[in-house]
Amino acid sequence: MNRERKSIGQIKQITSPSNTIIKNIKGLQLKKNRDAEGLFACEGLKLVINAIDNGWNMKTLIYAHNLTDQPHFLNIAAKARTNGTDLLEVSEKVLGSLTRRDNPQLVVGVFFQKCTELSSIKLGTNDFWIGLDRVRDPGNLGTIIRTADCVGAKGVLLIGDSTDPWSLEAVRATMGSIFNIEIVRCGQSEFIKWRVEWDGLVIGTHLKGAVDYRSIDYHNKPVLVLMGNEQNGLPEDLVSLCTDNVLIPMAGKADSLNLAIATGIIAFEARRTYLKMPKNISVN
Ligand code: SAM
């Protein structure tokens, strides 16, 4: 008989933003603390429920004291506690101090970070991945993770020195999609070595791309699209290992598209035949 028992999470009530536990959670706004503890914070009941349903490991659940009469919330709190999550029932002032918002969410979850190793990626026919070279802007990264989720991508590869996917701003912009897809982080040279193993398309996107992105046959093979850094675009080392380098043709006078918008355009084109209209839809 298995006698191993998970410990039940503690419940505490906190009203002061200067409480040490609250200060430590606030400290997760700094990357060095997130890195040291392997944790990150996420706001909103819906997102926290989605994370738990997807098997993410939550260390602490912080919630407004007035939520305790909502059966929906109590259900999730009980589930979290059985999994060993500590529960903090707090005042709105405390929640406001955690999220730096005037109208704070009523729930914040502190989760353990989870990344996939590059070497453990398994290639499946029709798998779609997005590779980002040194992405700098957390809003762009979060939007791209959300877009990747929307097109049914397996995950997002962060190549080189990238912005932190676990920052509050990036997590906010994912709108919960960070819990739905895989996140991989790797150095450029590690990626270049791994690319040899990738038996599928690697499509670079480049302002000097010679091929129209609509002319590629993306179907029935694994596809990785590579997006360049916001300021400098894709470096030659990455351009040279692509199957094709494509351009999204533009009119007008702008030099380029925003990185997240360009990713959305190519991702929806690459996944076009896999995206089906839902049944029983009627708005007229
Ligand atoms: N100054 C940079 C350059 O010269 O490449 C602009 C980079 S752009 C803001 C960021 C990334 O978005 C590019 O590296 C590319 O991956 C993608 N991108 C933006 N506009 C594009 C276009 N029209 N065609 C293909 N890719 C594009």
Side-chain angles (χ1 to χ4, degrees):
M1 194 167 68
N2 185 2
R3 291 183 180 280
E4 197 181 304
R5 275 210 341 215
K6 255 187 211 163
S7 62
I8 302 280
Q10 306 284 313
I11 303 183
K12 284 198 173 77
Q13 289 173 333
I14 301 178
T15 49
S16 164
S18 52
N19 174 287
T20 315
I21 303 174
I22 298 300
K23 276 188 178 163
N24 287 342
I25 295 173
K26 252 188 259 176
L28 295 177
Q29 287 166 6
L30 297 179
K31 183 174 183 306
K32 67 171 186 182
N33 295 334
R34 290 194 296 273
D35 287 351
E37 305 210 33
L39 297 170
F40 70 104
C42 158
E43 313 152 309
L45 180 58
K46 197 166 157 243
L47 271 53
V48 166
I49 292 174
N50 176 37
I52 294 173
D53 287 345
N54 278 351
W56 282 67
N57 206 349
M58 182 164 51
K59 183 172 190 294
T60 313
L61 176 64
I62 305 115
Y63 56 94
H65 58 92
N66 53 359
L67 262 186
T68 49
D69 54 3
Q70 293 192 18
H72 193 46
F73 169 75
L74 289 176
N75 207 0
I76 200 78
K79 198 168 165 185
R81 201 165 162 235
T82 329
N83 284 338
T85 301
D86 290 329
L87 270 53
L88 303 181
E89 191 177 311
V90 302
S91 60
E92 273 179 34
K93 198 167 150 200
V94 171
L95 272 171
S97 76
L98 286 178
T99 58
R100 292 185 291 186
R101 284 188 179 196
D102 293 339
N103 269 330
Q105 294 276 353
L106 298 180
V107 171
V108 174
V110 175
F111 289 89
F112 291 92
Q113 298 175 9
K114 192 163 71 177
C115 275
T116 301
E117 291 292 322
L118 187 61
S119 55
S120 69
I121 293 182
K122 291 188 183 53
L123 273 188
T125 325
N126 303 337
D127 280 1
F128 182 67
W129 286 82
I130 296 171
L132 302 176
D133 159 50
R134 297 163 299 152
V135 56
R136 301 308 310 163
D137 183 274
N140 272 345
L141 175 55
T143 306
I144 291 170
I145 290 174
R146 182 178 178 184
T147 307
D149 185 18
C150 288
V151 297
K154 296 290 279 183
V156 170
L157 252 71
L158 301 177
I159 306 161
D161 185 17
S162 302
T163 191
D164 187 10
W166 313 113
S167 70
L168 201 55
E169 203 182 343
V171 171
R172 253 179 208 161
T174 74
M175 294 296 288
S177 289
I178 193 138
F179 298 116
N180 299 340
I181 63 165
E182 296 181 49
I183 305 292
V184 179
R185 304 181 87 166
C186 59
Q188 198 201 75
S189 49
E190 192 190 348
F191 173 76
I192 291 172
K193 272 191 214 135
W194 172 85
R195 190 267 176 261
V196 180
E197 315 280 312
W198 175 268
D199 189 17
L201 297 183
V202 179
I203 304 296
T205 55
H206 204 286
L207 298 177
K208 294 194 179 132
V211 181
D212 185 320
Y213 78 109
R214 295 165 294 191
S215 66
I216 302 282
D217 176 8
Y218 299 94
H219 306 108
N220 293 323
K221 54 200 84 129
V223 176
L224 167 65
V225 295
L226 275 187
M227 308 301 302
N229 163 271
E230 288 97 331
Q231 271 197 322
N232 304 310
L234 276 182
E236 194 40 50
D237 286 353
L238 296 185
V239 166
S240 60
L241 53 72
C242 292
T243 336
D244 286 288
N245 282 284
V246 300
L247 173 74
I248 304 167
M250 299 179 291
K253 295 196 177 109
D255 290 340
S256 64
L257 289 150
N258 158 277
L259 169 63
I261 300 283
T263 309
I265 292 173
I266 189 159
F268 273 83
E269 174 64 19
R271 300 293 292 168
R272 192 153 49 98
T273 55
Y274 303 113
L275 302 173
K276 306 283 180 218
M277 283 294 284
K279 294 198 174 84
N280 307 327
I281 252 201
S282 59
V283 173
N284 265 317

